[in-house]
Structures are given as structure tokens and as C-alpha cells.
Amino acid sequence: MCFAVTIFESREDIRCAKVVKGRSINLALSHRGRQALKHIGIEEKIVSMGIPMHARMIHSLNGKQSPIPYGKKGQYILSVDRANLNKELLSVAEAYPNTKLNFNHKLLDWSPETGAMTFHGPDGNEKEFHADLIVGCDGAFSATRKQFLRRSRFNYSQTYIPHGYLELTIPPRNGDFAMKPNFLHIWPRHTFMMIALPNLDKTFTCTLFMPFEDFEKITTGNELLGFFQKNFPDSIPLIGVDALMRDFFRLPAQALVWVTCSPYHVLDSCVLMGDAAHAMVPFYGQGMNAGFEDCIVFNEIMDQFNEDFGTSVSMRSHVNSRYFLFRKFLDNTLHFVMPKTIIPLYTMITFTRTRYRQAVIQWQWQNKVK
Amino acid sequence: MCFAVTIFESREDIRCAKVVKGRSINLALSHRGRQALKHIGIEEKIVSMGIPMHARMIHSLNGKQSPIPYGKKGQYILSVDRANLNKELLSVAEAYPNTKLNFNHKLLDWSPETGAMTFHGPDGNEKEFHADLIVGCDGAFSATRKQFLRRSRFNYSQTYIPHGYLELTIPPRNGDFAMKPNFLHIWPRHTFMMIALPNLDKTFTCTLFMPFEDFEKITTGNELLGFFQKNFPDSIPLIGVDALMRDFFRLPAQALVWVTCSPYHVLDSCVLMGDAAHAMVPFYGQGMNAGFEDCIVFNEIMDQFNEDFGTSVSMRSHVNSRYFLFRKFLDNTLHFVMPKTIIPLYTMITFTRTRYRQAVIQWQWQNKVK
């Protein structure tokens, strides 16, 4: 069956944009996400533009670096550029003759009963559109989800962790990466940590995760320098003192939110996917991968039920509790910083499509019998 | 200090209303709630219009009734009429020369930065109002709270339990109560239960709590009668077969929601109280009592900080985590149906102003050392 698909995006077409806004530029692509890309024929292309990370590289206070592999030999995750990935996905979508893209359309409201949506269009006017099925893939602060919240018996939770994040850059050194590129570099420091992921242009993007109250203590350049000298001394020459001073104070630390909800659908007219349904904190690198896997799962269910929307949408909602359990398990801890204890679980999550729930159960069992 | 207080209520003045809409007509008033009423001088008046319930009365399947006291001799909770209580509170508020009541005013939006509120007024027009402090006491589905949800780092959770509720009535028999009046009657039946509270007019209001999926199984009068004959046989002659058939199908079962959020304030311009901040399921009889206690707590803090709004509002938000813990502890269980195991905790919650959190901790400790 061939569906007429219309995509509405609130931002401009990033393929033409001069400045790309948005969150972190790095994403960690793993097995679940790659499987979805394979379905639409761009796995190889995206992988070729990604940088394999075979291990974590733990930076001690004294500057010593110790690798901890992600899985077995040959298993790796990929550092991919968010903007590039978005651009490729838009081009793939646009190539389908039955798909139409609309940019600069901001969803104002929609009706579960009629499937009518109202957008604020690029010309400043309101615009109506009707769909048999609305798929809300509009992120952690989903506009689609607002309509869900107005209905009875919709369970919803948004939880901000005490940590904020802030991005810094390590430029190339002598035209090459300033650190070993095929690693996810981590500076674990108890209640806070910094990570760095490699980019194709031989820079690294560093992300500092720290409780907001600690960010608030750093208000001057001297305090900042003191903090980095004490906690991340080896990173200072890599980032550069001037760049550190400039970039740290450019933007306030950004918040990190968990979102869970249930059900994911309203009637048979709308279903939520990705961060709109289950936004996660980034420490497990699962946000994008889980969102992409949603697409595979929905596809599988649509095949199974002969592309009947009603049945597929409600079946789709039955496979959801696993995210909730996964979230409960991870909760607000920074699992990244304790890689040794979580490698078996991490391997299942990252290198297989084992259901999140099953992975957690299996891992708990392994820990018990040890 | 004397504040100019303006009250906005979305409904009409129930003192003039012909038909009073709203949730359950019964409320269980206990120590926390009475303390607040004492502060405003109407404890005795409300108590005189309430019916003391000294114990639960457990109805077995075979019709046997067994009392289980609420606390020590002399300790009791009061069945009070929601509409009467609301009317008295409005009259007390109106009697203050610095207080003005506005009915039929529906909050559309407000601004945390300016304190400006927009209402849909009784004449159908929008109306602006400005306040130095907005106190949102607008219930589980608070309109005030919507503005909180638009801001970053606001933690929010709404969780519907699988149970719905439905109300039935036991009329007087020969001009008197059809069952012993000074009890909260309970028919515990594993995954569901019915309770009955006495009213001043010698009726009882019965509330059936049951999973929605079980409500959905009862679609005909015969199914209903079979269900009552099997589970609540002694209640059938009390309610009356005709009334049962009529009232059961009048309205669908209503949902029950837990709401938790944090913080309870935005800047120093708004604070949430009562169900708007921490809506609870009714099994512990704490919704109204906790809401009233919020008023005492806020009053105490205002005294302590010389009625400085900013300090008081943020201090107010520090005493909140106890509700969250209390909720976590009770979660979705029907503690009403296991009165024996919870009497020590129930006593602390109901007959004292022991902090909810402290009560739970103390009770857990008691259980350990037993």
C-alpha cells in the first residue's frame, strides 16, 4: 500500500540554513539506529561519515588515559554529526514520490477526533491540514503531546536531573586530532564529568555535565580556570585558555530531562515516537537509537496487521513499558562514569536489538549469579 | 500586615447554585484539616455538621460486620459534606473586609514575570488582573500549573491508577440510617472495594472503586445484579435494586489521578497549594487535609519571614518532598483494605500533624523492630 505522507517541521530546511541551531552536535549511533538506517538504504552512507569509537578513554586526574572497550573486538559505536544526519534523512524522505516536506510550520493545535491540524505557516497565517494518522516525532517538548495531556487517563512524567550541560571544543592540532580519535573520551569526576566525541573536521566536541548548583559557583574567568586546573588539567591546553574562557560563558548550562508517558497513542488518530514519547538523558547514548528503533517497530507492526492504522497504533503502544522500566533502572545516575560494572548491560543495549526491558532483567540476573 | 486578597473561582457561587456539580460529596476530615479550620475559627461549626466515624466497619461476603477502630479511644474522623464545607469557607472568606470574591472567572493565562492574569469573565469578555502573589489552589487539573509546565526544570508527573470510581446511595430506612452511622463502612474485595460514608440527611454515599476493565465488563442490569449478588450481597437491599440499576449506569466510572510536581513556585510570583501541587487518590482520606495543612504551613512561614513573599514562597517549596515520598510509599495500593497493617501509620497521618515523611520513616522503623 502507498501512503501519502506529509512532513511538517517547525524549523527551516537545515539543508539551506546558514546557522544550524539545536542541541549537541554529536550523536552516538549504535546497532538499533543502524538497523533503522539500513531499512531506508543509508546505513553505509551515514557510517562512512561517522567516526568509529571502539572504546571509552578514561582520563585520570594525573592525565593518564586508560581505554575501556565498548564490547567485544570489532564492536564500536559511531560519532555522527547531527546536522549531517538530519540533512541526509530529509533528502531520503524527499526522494519518495509520495512524500511532501513542509518547513517553517509550527503546530498550534490538532483534534484527535477529526485529525485536523492547525499550523502557523511560513507566511504568518494559520493553515489547516487533515491526516488519517498523525505521527508525533517532535521531540522532548513535543507540541503534539500537549493534546494528550488534555485527555483523561494519560500518564505523563517529566523529570529534570540536577545536572546541566555545556559544550566546549577541542580544535585540531597541526591539522590532526589533538587526542586519539577513535575513542569516546571521558573525564569521570564523581558528581560531574566531561566527555569528548570526535568530529569529521578533526575537532572534538566536549560536553561538561555538572549539577546546576556547581555551574552557578563558576562566575569569573579565574574561578573557571581554577576549576579546570583542579579537575580537568590535561584538557586546558587542548581546549585553549582563551577559547575556554569565551565558550564556557557564552551560554548558560542547558537542562536535561527524562520524559515518560503512557499510552503513546490517542484513539487511532495519533501516535508519539522518539523523544516525544520517551526522552532520555544522554548518558547511555540511546535517545536517537531508541527513536529510530521506534520506526522499525512501527514498520514491523504495520506489516503484521496489513497496514491497518487502528490496530497498528494500539499495538505499537503495548511495547512501550520497556522504556519506562529502562528509565526506572537508569534513573538519574551517571552510568557512563562506572563503565566496568555496566559493560554486560551496555553491550546488550548498544550492540543488539534486545528489548530494553529484557536487557535489564538479564543483566540483573547475571549480577545475582556472579 | 493586611493584604488585599482577591479570589477567582471558575464555577458559580455554590451558595446560590441550584445543582452542585463536582466530585464525591463526602470528605473525611481529620486532625490536619481541623487545625486549619481552627485557625479561621470554624472548626466547631464544621465539626457540628459532621458525623464522627470512630472505626471502619468491614463487611464480609457473608454479611458479617466487624469494626476496626481508627485509633485510640476517642479518636475519630468526620464525614463532612463537601458542598456545605465549601459554602462555609466562602462565607468566612467574604467576611474579611480585605477579601473580594469573583465567581464565573476562568483563568486563561498568566505571566510569572508581571503577575498579570487573564480571565474569561462572566460577561463572556476577557478580563485582566494583576497580583503581587498568585496562589494557585485550583485542584488536580490546575489551570495555574499550565504556566509552570512551559518553564524549564519543572518536574511534573500525573499518574492515573487502574481504578475508576462510581457513586451510589443508601437511602434512610424508616427515617433513620440504614446501617450504623458512626463508621466508615468498607467492603474489601481484593482488587476492588466499596466504601460508604454517612451524611447528615441519614443517607450513605457508597463509592465503588474498581479497575476500569472490570467496570467495562458490566454493561447490562443483569450483569450488574449478578456482580452485586456475588460481591456485595448485603448492600443490595440497602441500596435498592431499582436505584442500583439507575445510578450505576447514570455516569461512567471516573478516573483517579496522582499528581506530583516540584518546585511548587515560580519566581516569587506564584505558589501552588492543595491538589494543584499534590493531588492524591482518596484511599487515605488525605487530599483535603493535606491541602488545608498547606495553608497552615504557608501561614507559619509568612509569620516567620515577616510576611516577605519571596522568602516565604521559596521556603514553602522546601517542605514539599514529603508529599512525593508519601506518594511513593502509598503508590497505587489500596491501603484502606488492609487496615490492620497500617493502623500505626494511619494514626500518625490522621490524628497528628507529624510530617508525612516522618510518619512513613517512623512506621517503617516500627515494622522492622517488631
Short mmCIF file of all heavy atoms in Angstrom, two decimals, chain A residues 31-37 39 133 135-139 259 261 264 271-280 286-303 312-313 315-324 326 353 355-356:
data_model
loop_
_atom_site.label_atom_id
_atom_site.label_comp_id
_atom_site.label_asym_id
_atom_site.label_seq_id
_atom_site.Cartn_x
_atom_site.Cartn_y
_atom_site.Cartn_z
N HIS A 31 23.80 -0.02 17.21
CA HIS A 31 23.14 -1.05 16.42
C HIS A 31 21.67 -0.75 16.10
O HIS A 31 21.24 -0.86 14.95
CB HIS A 31 23.26 -2.39 17.15
CG HIS A 31 22.61 -3.52 16.43
ND1 HIS A 31 23.19 -4.13 15.32
CD2 HIS A 31 21.43 -4.15 16.62
CE1 HIS A 31 22.39 -5.10 14.89
NE2 HIS A 31 21.32 -5.14 15.66
N ARG A 32 20.90 -0.36 17.13
CA ARG A 32 19.47 -0.11 16.90
C ARG A 32 19.25 0.96 15.84
O ARG A 32 18.39 0.84 14.96
CB ARG A 32 18.80 0.36 18.21
CG ARG A 32 18.66 -0.72 19.24
CD ARG A 32 18.26 -0.14 20.61
NE ARG A 32 18.71 -1.03 21.67
CZ ARG A 32 17.97 -2.01 22.19
NH1 ARG A 32 16.76 -2.20 21.80
NH2 ARG A 32 18.48 -2.81 23.12
N GLY A 33 20.03 2.04 15.94
CA GLY A 33 19.88 3.13 14.99
C GLY A 33 20.32 2.70 13.60
O GLY A 33 19.69 3.04 12.60
N ARG A 34 21.41 1.92 13.52
CA ARG A 34 21.92 1.48 12.21
C ARG A 34 20.91 0.57 11.52
O ARG A 34 20.77 0.63 10.29
CB ARG A 34 23.26 0.76 12.39
CG ARG A 34 24.39 1.72 12.69
CD ARG A 34 25.72 1.03 12.88
NE ARG A 34 26.17 0.36 11.64
CZ ARG A 34 27.42 -0.02 11.42
NH1 ARG A 34 28.35 0.23 12.34
NH2 ARG A 34 27.75 -0.62 10.31
N GLN A 35 20.24 -0.30 12.29
CA GLN A 35 19.24 -1.18 11.69
C GLN A 35 18.15 -0.37 10.98
O GLN A 35 17.70 -0.74 9.90
CB GLN A 35 18.59 -2.07 12.77
CG GLN A 35 19.50 -3.14 13.30
CD GLN A 35 19.97 -4.08 12.21
OE1 GLN A 35 21.12 -4.01 11.77
NE2 GLN A 35 19.08 -4.94 11.74
N ALA A 36 17.75 0.73 11.61
CA ALA A 36 16.71 1.57 11.01
C ALA A 36 17.23 2.25 9.75
O ALA A 36 16.53 2.33 8.73
CB ALA A 36 16.22 2.60 12.02
N LEU A 37 18.49 2.71 9.78
CA LEU A 37 19.07 3.36 8.60
C LEU A 37 19.22 2.36 7.46
O LEU A 37 19.06 2.70 6.29
CB LEU A 37 20.43 3.98 8.96
CG LEU A 37 20.37 5.12 9.98
CD1 LEU A 37 21.79 5.61 10.31
CD2 LEU A 37 19.53 6.29 9.45
N HIS A 39 17.20 -0.05 6.81
CA HIS A 39 15.87 -0.18 6.22
C HIS A 39 15.63 0.84 5.11
O HIS A 39 14.89 0.58 4.16
CB HIS A 39 14.78 0.01 7.29
CG HIS A 39 14.34 -1.25 7.94
ND1 HIS A 39 13.22 -1.93 7.56
CD2 HIS A 39 14.89 -1.98 8.93
CE1 HIS A 39 13.09 -3.02 8.30
NE2 HIS A 39 14.09 -3.07 9.15
N LEU A 133 -3.68 9.65 9.96
CA LEU A 133 -2.82 9.29 11.09
C LEU A 133 -1.77 10.37 11.28
O LEU A 133 -1.08 10.75 10.33
CB LEU A 133 -2.12 7.94 10.83
CG LEU A 133 -1.12 7.51 11.91
CD1 LEU A 133 -1.82 7.25 13.23
CD2 LEU A 133 -0.34 6.28 11.47
N VAL A 135 1.69 11.22 13.17
CA VAL A 135 2.82 10.61 13.88
C VAL A 135 3.63 11.75 14.49
O VAL A 135 4.25 12.53 13.77
CB VAL A 135 3.68 9.76 12.93
CG1 VAL A 135 4.80 9.07 13.71
CG2 VAL A 135 2.82 8.72 12.21
N GLY A 136 3.58 11.85 15.80
CA GLY A 136 4.25 12.94 16.51
C GLY A 136 5.69 12.58 16.82
O GLY A 136 5.96 11.83 17.75
N CYS A 137 6.63 13.08 16.02
CA CYS A 137 8.06 12.84 16.25
C CYS A 137 8.70 14.18 16.54
O CYS A 137 9.70 14.53 15.92
CB CYS A 137 8.72 12.23 15.01
SG CYS A 137 7.90 10.78 14.38
N ASP A 138 8.11 14.95 17.44
CA ASP A 138 8.56 16.33 17.61
C ASP A 138 9.28 16.59 18.93
O ASP A 138 9.21 17.68 19.49
CB ASP A 138 7.40 17.31 17.39
CG ASP A 138 6.13 16.93 18.14
OD1 ASP A 138 6.09 15.84 18.72
OD2 ASP A 138 5.20 17.74 18.15
N GLY A 139 9.95 15.54 19.41
CA GLY A 139 10.95 15.76 20.44
C GLY A 139 10.45 15.86 21.87
O GLY A 139 9.25 15.79 22.15
N VAL A 259 11.52 12.06 29.92
CA VAL A 259 10.08 12.11 29.70
C VAL A 259 9.57 10.68 29.54
O VAL A 259 10.15 9.89 28.80
CB VAL A 259 9.70 12.92 28.44
CG1 VAL A 259 8.22 12.79 28.11
CG2 VAL A 259 10.07 14.38 28.60
N CYS A 261 5.68 8.57 29.16
CA CYS A 261 4.23 8.72 29.12
C CYS A 261 3.58 7.42 28.69
O CYS A 261 4.25 6.50 28.21
CB CYS A 261 3.82 9.88 28.22
SG CYS A 261 4.25 9.68 26.50
N TYR A 264 0.99 5.80 24.26
CA TYR A 264 1.65 6.62 23.23
C TYR A 264 0.68 7.06 22.14
O TYR A 264 1.08 7.77 21.23
CB TYR A 264 2.78 5.83 22.56
CG TYR A 264 4.01 5.61 23.40
CD1 TYR A 264 5.00 4.72 22.98
CD2 TYR A 264 4.22 6.30 24.58
CE1 TYR A 264 6.15 4.52 23.73
CE2 TYR A 264 5.35 6.10 25.34
CZ TYR A 264 6.32 5.20 24.91
OH TYR A 264 7.45 5.00 25.65
N VAL A 271 -0.03 8.84 17.07
CA VAL A 271 0.92 8.06 17.86
C VAL A 271 2.20 8.88 18.03
O VAL A 271 2.61 9.60 17.12
CB VAL A 271 1.19 6.68 17.20
CG1 VAL A 271 1.84 6.83 15.83
CG2 VAL A 271 2.00 5.77 18.09
N LEU A 272 2.77 8.81 19.24
CA LEU A 272 4.03 9.51 19.51
C LEU A 272 5.20 8.58 19.28
O LEU A 272 5.13 7.38 19.57
CB LEU A 272 4.07 10.00 20.96
CG LEU A 272 2.98 10.96 21.42
CD1 LEU A 272 3.12 11.25 22.92
CD2 LEU A 272 3.03 12.26 20.63
N MET A 273 6.31 9.12 18.78
CA MET A 273 7.52 8.32 18.61
C MET A 273 8.75 9.11 19.04
O MET A 273 8.73 10.34 19.03
CB MET A 273 7.69 7.92 17.14
CG MET A 273 6.71 6.88 16.69
SD MET A 273 7.33 6.11 15.17
CE MET A 273 5.84 5.29 14.64
N GLY A 274 9.81 8.38 19.35
CA GLY A 274 11.08 9.03 19.68
C GLY A 274 11.00 9.81 20.98
O GLY A 274 10.25 9.44 21.89
N ASP A 275 11.75 10.91 21.04
CA ASP A 275 11.80 11.70 22.27
C ASP A 275 10.43 12.20 22.70
O ASP A 275 10.21 12.42 23.90
CB ASP A 275 12.73 12.92 22.08
CG ASP A 275 14.19 12.55 22.26
OD1 ASP A 275 14.48 11.36 22.49
OD2 ASP A 275 15.04 13.45 22.17
N ALA A 276 9.51 12.40 21.79
CA ALA A 276 8.16 12.85 22.16
C ALA A 276 7.52 11.84 23.10
O ALA A 276 6.76 12.20 24.00
CB ALA A 276 7.30 13.04 20.92
N ALA A 277 7.85 10.56 22.92
CA ALA A 277 7.26 9.50 23.73
C ALA A 277 8.14 9.14 24.92
O ALA A 277 7.65 8.75 25.98
CB ALA A 277 7.00 8.26 22.88
N HIS A 278 9.47 9.26 24.76
CA HIS A 278 10.37 8.75 25.81
C HIS A 278 11.73 9.44 25.74
O HIS A 278 12.74 8.79 25.43
CB HIS A 278 10.53 7.23 25.69
CG HIS A 278 10.74 6.75 24.28
ND1 HIS A 278 11.89 7.00 23.59
CD2 HIS A 278 9.95 6.06 23.43
CE1 HIS A 278 11.81 6.47 22.38
NE2 HIS A 278 10.63 5.90 22.25
N ALA A 279 11.76 10.72 26.06
CA ALA A 279 13.04 11.44 26.04
C ALA A 279 13.93 10.93 27.17
O ALA A 279 13.48 10.69 28.28
CB ALA A 279 12.81 12.94 26.19
N MET A 280 15.20 10.76 26.84
CA MET A 280 16.15 10.22 27.82
C MET A 280 17.29 11.20 28.03
O MET A 280 17.58 12.00 27.16
CB MET A 280 16.78 8.93 27.28
CG MET A 280 15.78 7.89 26.88
SD MET A 280 16.65 6.43 26.29
CE MET A 280 15.26 5.55 25.57
N GLN A 286 21.28 6.55 23.99
CA GLN A 286 20.16 5.78 23.44
C GLN A 286 19.04 6.61 22.83
O GLN A 286 18.14 6.07 22.21
CB GLN A 286 19.57 4.86 24.53
CG GLN A 286 20.45 3.68 24.85
CD GLN A 286 20.78 2.88 23.60
OE1 GLN A 286 19.91 2.38 22.93
NE2 GLN A 286 22.07 2.81 23.26
N GLY A 287 19.04 7.92 23.01
CA GLY A 287 17.91 8.74 22.56
C GLY A 287 17.60 8.54 21.08
O GLY A 287 16.51 8.12 20.71
N MET A 288 18.57 8.83 20.23
CA MET A 288 18.35 8.68 18.80
C MET A 288 18.14 7.23 18.42
O MET A 288 17.27 6.89 17.61
CB MET A 288 19.55 9.22 18.03
CG MET A 288 19.50 8.89 16.55
SD MET A 288 21.01 9.35 15.67
CE MET A 288 22.23 8.28 16.45
N ASN A 289 18.92 6.34 19.00
CA ASN A 289 18.83 4.93 18.64
C ASN A 289 17.46 4.35 18.99
O ASN A 289 16.87 3.60 18.21
CB ASN A 289 19.95 4.13 19.31
CG ASN A 289 21.31 4.49 18.73
OD1 ASN A 289 21.61 4.17 17.59
ND2 ASN A 289 22.12 5.22 19.49
N ALA A 290 16.93 4.72 20.15
CA ALA A 290 15.60 4.25 20.54
C ALA A 290 14.54 4.85 19.62
O ALA A 290 13.58 4.17 19.24
CB ALA A 290 15.32 4.62 21.99
N GLY A 291 14.71 6.11 19.26
CA GLY A 291 13.76 6.76 18.37
C GLY A 291 13.73 6.08 17.00
O GLY A 291 12.67 5.82 16.43
N PHE A 292 14.92 5.79 16.48
CA PHE A 292 14.99 5.10 15.18
C PHE A 292 14.39 3.70 15.29
O PHE A 292 13.71 3.23 14.38
CB PHE A 292 16.45 5.00 14.71
CG PHE A 292 16.98 6.27 14.12
CD1 PHE A 292 16.20 7.43 14.06
CD2 PHE A 292 18.27 6.33 13.62
CE1 PHE A 292 16.70 8.61 13.50
CE2 PHE A 292 18.78 7.51 13.06
CZ PHE A 292 17.99 8.64 13.01
N GLU A 293 14.63 3.04 16.43
CA GLU A 293 14.06 1.70 16.58
C GLU A 293 12.54 1.76 16.60
O GLU A 293 11.86 0.84 16.13
CB GLU A 293 14.58 1.01 17.85
CG GLU A 293 14.24 -0.47 17.87
CD GLU A 293 14.74 -1.20 19.10
OE1 GLU A 293 14.73 -0.59 20.18
OE2 GLU A 293 15.12 -2.37 18.96
N ASP A 294 11.97 2.84 17.15
CA ASP A 294 10.51 3.02 17.11
C ASP A 294 10.00 2.86 15.68
O ASP A 294 8.93 2.29 15.45
CB ASP A 294 10.12 4.41 17.59
CG ASP A 294 10.18 4.55 19.11
OD1 ASP A 294 10.47 3.54 19.78
OD2 ASP A 294 9.95 5.67 19.60
N CYS A 295 10.75 3.41 14.73
CA CYS A 295 10.33 3.34 13.32
C CYS A 295 10.31 1.90 12.84
O CYS A 295 9.38 1.47 12.15
CB CYS A 295 11.25 4.17 12.44
SG CYS A 295 11.36 5.89 12.94
N ILE A 296 11.35 1.14 13.20
CA ILE A 296 11.38 -0.27 12.78
C ILE A 296 10.19 -1.00 13.40
O ILE A 296 9.49 -1.75 12.72
CB ILE A 296 12.67 -0.99 13.25
CG1 ILE A 296 13.92 -0.22 12.85
CG2 ILE A 296 12.72 -2.41 12.68
CD1 ILE A 296 15.21 -0.93 13.24
N VAL A 297 9.98 -0.79 14.71
CA VAL A 297 8.90 -1.49 15.41
C VAL A 297 7.56 -1.15 14.76
O VAL A 297 6.74 -2.03 14.48
CB VAL A 297 8.89 -1.11 16.91
CG1 VAL A 297 7.64 -1.64 17.60
CG2 VAL A 297 10.14 -1.66 17.60
N PHE A 298 7.33 0.12 14.46
CA PHE A 298 6.07 0.52 13.86
C PHE A 298 5.91 -0.12 12.49
O PHE A 298 4.83 -0.61 12.13
CB PHE A 298 5.99 2.04 13.76
CG PHE A 298 4.63 2.54 13.35
CD1 PHE A 298 3.52 2.34 14.18
CD2 PHE A 298 4.43 3.16 12.12
CE1 PHE A 298 2.26 2.78 13.80
CE2 PHE A 298 3.17 3.60 11.74
CZ PHE A 298 2.09 3.41 12.58
N ASN A 299 6.99 -0.14 11.75
CA ASN A 299 7.00 -0.77 10.43
C ASN A 299 6.66 -2.26 10.51
O ASN A 299 5.83 -2.76 9.74
CB ASN A 299 8.41 -0.60 9.84
CG ASN A 299 8.36 -0.35 8.35
OD1 ASN A 299 7.45 0.31 7.87
ND2 ASN A 299 9.32 -0.90 7.63
N GLU A 300 7.28 -2.94 11.46
CA GLU A 300 7.02 -4.37 11.64
C GLU A 300 5.55 -4.62 11.97
O GLU A 300 4.92 -5.54 11.45
CB GLU A 300 7.91 -4.93 12.75
CG GLU A 300 9.38 -5.05 12.36
CD GLU A 300 10.32 -5.31 13.55
OE1 GLU A 300 9.86 -5.22 14.72
OE2 GLU A 300 11.52 -5.56 13.30
N ILE A 301 5.00 -3.75 12.85
CA ILE A 301 3.60 -3.93 13.25
C ILE A 301 2.67 -3.62 12.08
O ILE A 301 1.67 -4.32 11.86
CB ILE A 301 3.28 -3.05 14.48
CG1 ILE A 301 4.11 -3.51 15.69
CG2 ILE A 301 1.80 -3.14 14.82
CD1 ILE A 301 4.04 -2.57 16.87
N MET A 302 3.01 -2.61 11.33
CA MET A 302 2.17 -2.26 10.16
C MET A 302 2.16 -3.43 9.17
O MET A 302 1.12 -3.76 8.59
CB MET A 302 2.71 -1.00 9.49
CG MET A 302 2.35 0.28 10.22
SD MET A 302 0.64 0.81 9.94
CE MET A 302 0.84 1.70 8.38
N ASP A 303 3.32 -4.07 8.96
CA ASP A 303 3.38 -5.24 8.08
C ASP A 303 2.48 -6.35 8.62
O ASP A 303 1.69 -6.95 7.89
CB ASP A 303 4.82 -5.78 7.99
CG ASP A 303 5.68 -4.91 7.08
OD1 ASP A 303 5.10 -4.06 6.35
OD2 ASP A 303 6.91 -5.06 7.11
N SER A 312 -2.50 -1.15 14.36
CA SER A 312 -1.05 -0.92 14.47
C SER A 312 -0.74 0.10 15.56
O SER A 312 0.18 -0.07 16.36
CB SER A 312 -0.49 -0.44 13.13
OG SER A 312 -0.68 -1.43 12.15
N VAL A 313 -1.53 1.17 15.59
CA VAL A 313 -1.26 2.24 16.57
C VAL A 313 -1.43 1.74 17.99
O VAL A 313 -0.62 2.02 18.87
CB VAL A 313 -2.16 3.47 16.28
CG1 VAL A 313 -2.14 4.42 17.46
CG2 VAL A 313 -1.70 4.17 15.02
N MET A 315 -1.31 -1.48 18.97
CA MET A 315 -0.29 -2.50 19.23
C MET A 315 1.03 -1.83 19.56
O MET A 315 1.74 -2.23 20.45
CB MET A 315 -0.09 -3.40 18.00
CG MET A 315 -1.14 -4.44 17.80
SD MET A 315 -1.41 -5.44 19.28
CE MET A 315 0.18 -6.26 19.42
N ARG A 316 1.32 -0.79 18.79
CA ARG A 316 2.53 -0.02 19.00
C ARG A 316 2.67 0.41 20.46
O ARG A 316 3.75 0.41 21.03
CB ARG A 316 2.49 1.20 18.08
CG ARG A 316 3.52 2.27 18.32
CD ARG A 316 4.90 1.81 17.92
NE ARG A 316 5.90 2.79 18.32
CZ ARG A 316 6.28 2.96 19.55
NH1 ARG A 316 5.77 2.18 20.47
NH2 ARG A 316 7.19 3.86 19.86
N SER A 317 1.52 0.72 21.06
CA SER A 317 1.58 1.26 22.41
C SER A 317 1.83 0.17 23.45
O SER A 317 2.17 0.46 24.58
CB SER A 317 0.28 2.00 22.75
OG SER A 317 -0.73 1.08 23.04
N HIS A 318 1.68 -1.08 23.05
CA HIS A 318 1.91 -2.16 24.01
C HIS A 318 3.38 -2.45 24.26
O HIS A 318 3.73 -3.08 25.23
CB HIS A 318 1.21 -3.44 23.55
CG HIS A 318 -0.27 -3.38 23.74
ND1 HIS A 318 -1.14 -4.26 23.17
CD2 HIS A 318 -1.03 -2.51 24.44
CE1 HIS A 318 -2.37 -3.94 23.49
NE2 HIS A 318 -2.33 -2.88 24.26
N VAL A 319 4.22 -2.03 23.34
CA VAL A 319 5.64 -2.33 23.51
C VAL A 319 6.36 -1.21 24.25
O VAL A 319 7.56 -1.13 24.23
CB VAL A 319 6.33 -2.59 22.14
CG1 VAL A 319 5.89 -3.91 21.57
CG2 VAL A 319 6.06 -1.46 21.17
N ASN A 320 5.59 -0.38 24.93
CA ASN A 320 6.20 0.82 25.47
C ASN A 320 6.78 0.71 26.87
O ASN A 320 7.70 1.42 27.21
CB ASN A 320 5.17 1.93 25.51
CG ASN A 320 4.69 2.22 24.12
OD1 ASN A 320 5.41 1.88 23.18
ND2 ASN A 320 3.53 2.79 23.99
N SER A 321 6.18 -0.17 27.66
CA SER A 321 6.54 -0.15 29.07
C SER A 321 8.04 -0.39 29.25
O SER A 321 8.62 0.02 30.23
CB SER A 321 5.75 -1.20 29.83
OG SER A 321 5.98 -2.46 29.26
N ARG A 322 8.65 -1.01 28.26
CA ARG A 322 10.08 -1.26 28.38
C ARG A 322 10.89 0.01 28.57
O ARG A 322 11.87 0.04 29.28
CB ARG A 322 10.59 -2.02 27.17
CG ARG A 322 10.39 -1.28 25.87
CD ARG A 322 10.37 -2.26 24.71
NE ARG A 322 9.99 -1.58 23.50
CZ ARG A 322 10.75 -1.53 22.42
NH1 ARG A 322 11.93 -2.12 22.40
NH2 ARG A 322 10.34 -0.90 21.35
N TYR A 323 10.47 1.12 27.90
CA TYR A 323 11.20 2.36 28.09
C TYR A 323 11.06 2.86 29.52
O TYR A 323 11.99 3.36 30.11
CB TYR A 323 10.69 3.44 27.14
CG TYR A 323 11.06 3.16 25.72
CD1 TYR A 323 10.09 2.81 24.81
CD2 TYR A 323 12.39 3.21 25.31
CE1 TYR A 323 10.43 2.54 23.49
CE2 TYR A 323 12.73 2.94 24.00
CZ TYR A 323 11.75 2.60 23.09
OH TYR A 323 12.08 2.32 21.81
N PHE A 324 9.86 2.68 30.02
CA PHE A 324 9.61 3.12 31.37
C PHE A 324 10.50 2.37 32.35
O PHE A 324 11.14 2.95 33.22
CB PHE A 324 8.13 2.92 31.71
CG PHE A 324 7.78 3.44 33.05
CD1 PHE A 324 7.73 4.80 33.28
CD2 PHE A 324 7.49 2.57 34.10
CE1 PHE A 324 7.41 5.29 34.53
CE2 PHE A 324 7.18 3.05 35.35
CZ PHE A 324 7.14 4.42 35.56
N PHE A 326 13.27 0.79 31.63
CA PHE A 326 14.65 1.16 31.34
C PHE A 326 15.00 2.45 32.08
O PHE A 326 16.03 2.57 32.72
CB PHE A 326 14.78 1.35 29.83
CG PHE A 326 16.17 1.68 29.37
CD1 PHE A 326 17.24 0.86 29.68
CD2 PHE A 326 16.39 2.82 28.60
CE1 PHE A 326 18.52 1.18 29.24
CE2 PHE A 326 17.67 3.13 28.16
CZ PHE A 326 18.72 2.32 28.48
N ARG A 353 19.43 -5.62 19.37
CA ARG A 353 18.10 -5.02 19.48
C ARG A 353 17.31 -5.72 20.59
O ARG A 353 16.07 -5.67 20.62
CB ARG A 353 17.34 -5.08 18.15
CG ARG A 353 17.68 -3.93 17.20
CD ARG A 353 16.68 -3.82 16.07
NE ARG A 353 15.32 -3.59 16.55
CZ ARG A 353 14.22 -3.97 15.89
NH1 ARG A 353 14.31 -4.61 14.76
NH2 ARG A 353 13.03 -3.72 16.40
N ARG A 355 15.23 -6.26 23.62
CA ARG A 355 14.34 -5.28 24.24
C ARG A 355 14.98 -4.70 25.50
O ARG A 355 15.58 -5.44 26.27
CB ARG A 355 13.00 -5.93 24.60
CG ARG A 355 12.19 -6.28 23.37
CD ARG A 355 10.77 -6.59 23.74
NE ARG A 355 9.95 -6.59 22.54
CZ ARG A 355 8.63 -6.61 22.55
NH1 ARG A 355 7.98 -6.65 23.70
NH2 ARG A 355 7.95 -6.60 21.44
N TYR A 356 14.83 -3.40 25.67
CA TYR A 356 15.44 -2.74 26.82
C TYR A 356 15.09 -3.46 28.12
O TYR A 356 15.92 -3.70 28.99
CB TYR A 356 14.99 -1.28 26.92
CG TYR A 356 15.57 -0.38 25.85
CD1 TYR A 356 14.76 0.20 24.89
CD2 TYR A 356 16.93 -0.12 25.80
CE1 TYR A 356 15.30 1.03 23.91
CE2 TYR A 356 17.48 0.69 24.82
CZ TYR A 356 16.64 1.27 23.89
OH TYR A 356 17.17 2.09 22.91
#
